[in-house]
Amino acid sequence: MKKAPLLLASTLTLAFACSAVAQSTRRWGSAIDGPFSGAGNQWNVVPGVSDVARFSNYDANAAFTVTFGGNVTNSYFRVDADGDFASNPFTVTLDLAGYTYTLGSATDPNVIARNADNNASVHLTGHGTVNAIHTTIGNLATSTGKLTLSGSTKLITSGSTQIGAYGSGTLEITDASRVESSTLTYVGRRENSTGNVLITGADSTWSTTRSILFGFGANSTSSLKIENGGRLENTSTGSNGSIDFGTAAGSNILVDIKGVGSTLSTGGSLYVGGGRTTGAAGQAQITLEEGGALS
């Protein structure tokens, strides 16, 4: 029987040292208990090819770490709160331990905070690489999702990326980590959505070969902060080399580039409140501070 892809969910009770008990669900492949080993909020996983992992929580502010032991190929990745407990915030840390983790498909995108009222955070760390196809952070109007990269971790996206699809999404690139994009990225994708990006620290980089559209949704709100030597760069020329701020009518974008070495660069055009793709301009403001630069 074909195994389901790697999603985050199952029947797991996480007991902390204090009196509080955090409960989560997980399903890994076809086994309810799955190949997990560990105790408390620390878990070690050696998943098989095309396994499914899904994590969701029942207790507010639950936090747990999953450390992978091997290169992993999976179908998709999903982090949600669940059912009646969907509004409870929680955090999953995925320690790649230097390995490569491939996830996502054309029909099953990787989603952080997919359902209504979700408040989920995912932290990728461990000097590994994640190959992702489609990635959405903050899918529905009432969902809030956050993806953080640290520890020289690399995220390679080969499909569309939405940071704040209908809801609120945040991407943070820190600690010499890197995001590489080869397709369109939307920050504030739909009407009234919110998208935030932070790139901080020397060698923390977002490099793309396609346009990034901030404020693509009408009346959306977006922000971009590049600081402490971080970089956002579009290495393409022509129409693919653009970075757009304030794409749709009513959108509002704030950009702050601060510190020596902090750079926003593009091989094509930079649109500030230009409305290039919709013909109806939003509002955008770019602030350069303490040596921050446009290139």
Side-chain angles (χ1 to χ4, degrees):
M1 183 176 67
K2 183 179 180 181
K3 286 203 274 189
L6 178 75
L7 219 160
L8 294 168
S10 61
T11 317
L12 160 67
T13 299
L14 300 178
F16 293 88
C18 60
S19 58
V21 175
Q23 295 179 331
S24 295
T25 62
R26 78 178 186 282
R27 182 174 299 110
W28 200 281
S30 58
I32 294 299
D33 292 330
F36 281 78
S37 63
N41 61 346
Q42 301 289 328
W43 293 88
N44 301 311
V45 180
V46 184
V49 173
S50 298
D51 276 357
V52 176
R54 175 184 171 190
F55 292 107
S56 57
N57 83 301
Y58 293 109
D59 291 286
N61 301 311
F64 44 95
T65 298
V66 177
T67 301
F68 290 106
N71 295 324
V72 184
T73 300
N74 301 297
S75 293
Y76 69 108
F77 167 78
R78 177 172 165 181
V79 177
D80 288 316
D82 202 17
D84 294 335
F85 306 94
S87 61
N88 291 339
F90 75 110
T91 301
V92 177
T93 296
L94 301 181
D95 188 341
L96 303 174
Y99 293 107
T100 297
Y101 183 46
T102 300
L103 45 82
S105 69
T107 57
D108 290 314
N110 314 302
V111 180
I112 299 169
R114 176 172 181 168
N115 293 332
D117 299 320
N118 280 183
N119 191 335
S121 297
V122 175
H123 182 189
L124 297 176
T125 190
H127 195 64
T129 299
V130 170
N131 293 307
I133 299 182
H134 300 298
T135 300
T136 299
I137 308 171
N139 187 54
L140 297 185
T142 52
S143 64
T144 299
K146 181 179 180 180
L147 175 62
T148 301
L149 278 69
S150 71
S152 300
T153 299
K154 181 185 292 186
L155 172 66
I156 301 174
T157 63
S158 58
S160 65
T161 300
Q162 301 182 66
I163 304 169
Y166 291 90
S168 176
T170 298
L171 172 65
E172 294 187 350
I173 306 169
T174 73
D175 192 24
S177 295
R178 183 178 180 89
V179 173
E180 297 180 359
S181 306
S182 56
T183 57
L184 284 173
T185 296
Y186 301 92
V187 184
R189 175 70 172 91
R190 303 288 184 179
E191 185 174 4
N192 298 318
S193 61
T194 300
N196 301 297
V197 176
L198 169 65
I199 308 170
T200 181
D203 296 324
S204 297
T205 305
W206 184 359
S207 180
T208 182
T209 57
R210 290 290 303 274
S211 297
I212 302 176
L213 308 175
F214 288 80
F216 190 81
N219 302 313
S220 60
T221 301
S222 300
S223 71
L224 169 64
K225 292 184 178 181
I226 306 173
E227 58 189 29
N228 301 318
R231 300 190 302 272
L232 172 58
E233 56 189 23
N234 189 328
T235 59
S236 291
T237 59
S239 59
N240 286 334
S242 70
I243 298 176
D244 297 21
F245 297 109
T247 311
S251 60
N252 191 2
I253 290 79
L254 294 177
V255 180
D256 188 19
I257 306 171
K258 183 177 181 179
V260 175
S262 301
T263 307
L264 170 66
S265 63
T266 176
S269 300
L270 180 68
Y271 294 87
V272 183
R276 176 177 68 94
T277 61
T278 62
Q283 299 183 35
Q285 175 180 305
I286 297 178
T287 302
L288 303 179
E289 301 180 78
E290 301 176 13
L294 289 173
S295 175

